[in-house]
Amino acid sequence: MTEAVEWHKGGQPFSARFGDVYHSESGAEAQARHVFLGGCGLPGAWADAPQWRILETGFGLGLNFLTAWRAWRDDPRRPGRLHFVSVEAYPVAAANIERAAAAQGPAIGALGRELAAQWHGLLPGCYRLAFDDGRVLLTLGIGDARPMLRGLARFEADSLFLDGFSPQKNPEMWSPELLRTLARFARRGTRIATWSVARGVRDALAPLGFVLEMAPGLPPKRDCLRGEFAPAWPLRARGPEPERVDARGRCVVVGAGLAGAAVAASLARRGWQVTVLEAAPHAAAGASGAPAGVFAPHVSPDDALLSRLTRAGVRATLSELRRIGGAEGDGWAAPGVLERRAPYALRLPPGWTAEGPNESWTATPVQAADAGLAADTAALWHAHAGWASPARLVEGWLATPGVTLRTGSAVAHVAPLPDGRWAALDADGRPLADGDRVVLAAGAATRALAGALPLQPVRGQLAWGDWPAGAKPPSCVPVNGDGHCIPAVSAHGQAARWLSGATYAPGDDGADLRDADTQANLDRLAGLHPGLAAAVRGSGVQAWAGVRCASHDRRPLVGPVPGAPSAGLWVCTALGSRGLSFAALCAELLAARWHGEPLPVSAALARGLDTARLRA
């Protein structure tokens, strides 16, 4: 359930839980500009910076974020990327976000509508929302403030906003323990601002190294508080960060499938010049060459690591499809996905409900019927899921300014150069390209370039075909379970096709088409979706096969190659059969680690994808 907001006379939002108003009577935007942006010297302080990182306690109705976003938009010297990280224990409904923003005028109101459109599925955890072509990134921690802050991977915040209901009403948000946790994100020079001038807040901040001053407040408050992190003692030296880079340079990405194209785009958006080397004559030629695939979250009764990772990945994929994928229905669609399960396997995590923020729930008879199945079919319904053509994403990512694709360039070796850079070489040892860093993202071919990684090939074959003349797909909803099927795949104005599969053969690296696998896919389709199987029986059946790459634990590998002779050799691989669900998330995670940005997931989830887990 979302947090209730009471709207008092004059449109003042009020929290019954804390018995306090959400913002000053002078207006939320005025308070945000005077107290928080002004208190941290913004927008002047961020002029011409490559990025700016704001960390806030208490997201509330999102008006500090929306005001900072508007200031960023209006500033010709804005930083290349604005990161806004905030924690919130009691998220409100999207309608209240939109109403509060609309009250601030048309400019903030328009931004509020964009925020409300992504304000869904906010279970406890960490979420990444992207705006303005990925240049404004909101990272939300949903849960109690202190554990959420402790669960974030550390980054150096440039500005700290202390917000929340008053210390008298909500003392935990201003406790010395929370402020001490917050201080771990400060660097020398980090500015801090808050409307509260309570003695307890000042007494807790000063010993942490913050030099504070009282400043004129926004009526009806007389004062506000601002300061800078400038401890009088030497700070403890932190360990080396070999993954961090201070300057954007040149990078070589090996592989032009989902993983490689996503990495290239994420780095290019941050100012890198990226050369993508692809052995085949065109991009998306390997496992990413499948006609279409399904993206949907994994669900487990204990909400295991894979379940949380796939939720984050599907959100990132949908964001990218809406950004670069063109009109929904042409190459992708998100109508939801029905996942068939045995009745005993329908258990869901405790606390999930039909009306809750969870977006996966037991399918209703109506949802089953809409998918073309019997009303009593045992299944889960994933509301934010769908299908996509991998090539559509690959094409969009490779079109990012700063990305150069070179096909017919088979990389046989990568080697460090004396000056610290890396070179990609062909089978005869001739250089194909060099860069400050190399990212191996060649799917199953990554095994030959990073032999120390526990990777295995996984062959998969699909069955597909054109719909017979006059025939109509039984529904537009993909169905998952023992394999998957997509009743109606459409792209580039072509007639709708059906698709079903895929086989899963670990250790098999053959991409040849096999009649036995085609029959296996048709048999599987008959069990998964009898109506679709009957409708396409007798029509022409075609096949596609590719080789995916999987790790020992079936999770992607993102990070430095263990045992590499020098820093700068990374991988983004082993996306397995979830390439559509993981590519965008893994690419953003890699880029964030290189640039000291807030990560798109919690520290625990990032560790679940890191190559460092191989050493453990």
Side-chain angles (χ1 to χ4, degrees):
M1 297 296 290
T2 55
E3 181 73 355
V5 178
E6 295 180 5
W7 294 90
H8 288 182
K9 187 176 181 180
Q12 180 80 331
F14 181 85
S15 168
R17 180 187 297 273
F18 294 104
D20 201 359
V21 295
Y22 274 91
H23 58 73
S24 165
E25 296 173 3
S26 297
E29 185 180 9
Q31 176 176 288
R33 286 189 179 274
H34 178 84
V35 175
F36 295 105
L37 273 70
C40 289
L42 301 175
W46 69 28
D48 304 321
Q51 65 174 329
W52 199 262
R53 297 154 295 192
I54 298 172
L55 176 58
E56 176 191 59
T57 57
F59 190 76
L61 294 167
L63 293 164
N64 289 340
F65 164 66
L66 295 174
T67 303
W69 181 8
R70 182 187 178 188
W72 176 88
R73 270 193 171 182
D74 292 343
D75 186 3
R77 300 185 65 186
R78 59 180 172 262
R81 193 166 304 273
L82 175 63
H83 279 278
F84 197 102
V85 182
S86 188
V87 294
E88 177 56 56
Y90 305 102
V92 303
N96 285 319
I97 293 277
E98 198 164 345
R99 178 174 177 177
Q104 310 307 309
I108 294 292
L111 301 183
R113 289 192 293 274
E114 291 191 47
L115 173 59
Q118 295 192 44
W119 193 262
H120 58 81
L122 299 180
L123 288 162
C126 186
Y127 298 87
R128 169 60 58 80
L129 282 62
F131 307 93
D132 268 340
D133 204 30
R135 294 175 296 161
V136 174
L137 297 170
L138 170 61
T139 306
L140 279 171
I142 302 298
D144 290 337
R146 191 176 181 218
M148 289 312 306
L149 290 172
R150 291 172 65 90
L152 294 175
R154 188 192 171 276
F155 62 92
E156 292 184 342
D158 302 297
S159 305
L160 298 175
F161 292 179
L162 300 187
D163 204 356
F165 298 110
S166 74
Q168 293 76 26
K169 306 285 188 178
N170 189 14
E172 290 184 6
M173 281 289 285
W174 307 87
S175 69
E177 293 78 16
L178 184 141
L179 297 176
R180 189 161 52 246
T181 301
L182 189 74
R184 67 187 278 262
F185 294 93
R187 55 163 175 79
R188 284 194 181 273
T190 295
R191 298 284 301 174
I192 190 168
T194 179
W195 55 266
S196 176
V197 295
R199 180 62 181 268
V201 174
R202 289 180 282 142
D203 287 349
L205 287 171
L208 298 175
F210 290 97
V211 178
L212 305 170
E213 65 174 352
M214 304 280 271
L218 187 71
K221 290 192 66 66
R222 185 181 64 184
D223 302 304
C224 61
L225 192 66
R226 57 184 59 170
E228 181 178 335
F229 187 65
W233 56 86
L235 294 176
R236 181 186 303 174
R238 296 189 173 96
E241 298 180 87
E243 59 200 43
R244 286 279 301 274
V245 286
D246 295 323
R248 280 67 172 160
R250 291 191 300 157
C251 179
V252 177
V253 174
V254 182
L258 281 168
V263 166
S266 286
L267 293 176
R269 288 198 299 269
R270 288 163 173 83
W272 287 77
Q273 294 299 309
V274 185
T275 300
V276 180
L277 301 178
E278 169 57 49
H282 56 85
S288 298
V294 172
F295 57 90
H298 175 272
V299 174
S300 56
D302 58 350
D303 203 24
L305 177 64
L306 181 62
S307 300
R308 289 173 282 142
L309 281 168
T310 54
R311 279 205 303 275
V314 167
R315 180 183 285 270
T317 297
L318 271 171
S319 178
E320 287 297 277
L321 283 168
R322 289 168 178 148
R323 186 178 71 86
I324 63 172
E328 186 169 355
D330 182 12
W332 73 279
V337 168
L338 195 88
E339 180 186 348
R340 298 194 64 171
R341 289 192 175 189
Y344 67 83
L346 293 176
R347 290 188 304 127
L348 294 163
W352 286 23
T353 67
E355 297 80 23
N358 50 285
E359 296 176 334
S360 297
W361 190 248
T362 308
T364 66
V366 171
Q367 289 166 337
D370 286 346
L373 299 173
D376 61 351
T377 300
L380 297 179
W381 174 251
H382 305 295
H384 285 264
W387 66 269
S389 163
R392 176 61 57 87
L393 277 170
V394 170
E395 178 184 14
W397 282 330
L398 292 178
T400 305
V403 176
T404 300
L405 171 65
R406 289 174 51 189
T407 58
S409 301
V411 178
H413 313 282
V414 289
L417 298 174
D419 60 3
R421 295 178 302 119
W422 282 80
L425 312 172
D426 66 12
D428 296 322
R430 293 175 299 204
L432 295 169
D434 61 71
D436 302 289
R437 291 193 170 187
V438 169
V439 179
L440 305 178
T446 305
R447 293 177 299 149
L449 302 173
L453 296 179
L455 302 174
Q456 68 169 339
V458 180
R459 182 184 184 277
Q461 183 167 316
L462 297 168
W464 65 276
D466 296 319
W467 273 96
K472 182 180 179 182
S475 80
C476 65
V477 176
V479 177
N480 226 342
D482 180 17
H484 68 267
C485 65
I486 309 172
V489 175
S490 55
H492 303 300
Q494 297 173 337
R497 296 172 171 174
W498 61 270
L499 180 147
S500 181
T503 60
Y504 193 89
D508 190 335
D509 58 5
D512 54 309
L513 301 180
R514 303 172 188 176
D515 292 341
D517 282 1
T518 295
Q519 187 59 51
N521 280 325
L522 294 176
D523 293 342
R524 181 182 287 110
L525 177 60
L528 186 65
H529 201 308
L532 176 58
V536 302
R537 187 176 296 124
S539 64
V541 178
Q542 301 188 55
W544 174 92
V547 181
R548 296 158 289 190
C549 176
S551 69
H552 64 299
D553 56 13
R554 294 194 179 184
R555 295 198 303 271
L557 287 163
V558 183
V561 174
S566 64
L569 181 63
W570 281 58
V571 291
C572 180
T573 191
L575 275 58
S577 57
R578 292 189 171 94
L580 281 171
S581 297
F582 274 136
L585 176 67
C586 290
E588 281 295 288
L589 178 59
L590 180 146
R593 290 179 61 181
W594 283 19
H595 299 107
E597 298 177 7
L599 300 186
V601 293
S602 69
L605 266 62
R607 288 193 295 270
L609 298 175
D610 195 348
T611 52
R613 73 184 192 268
L614 302 178
R615 295 193 292 271

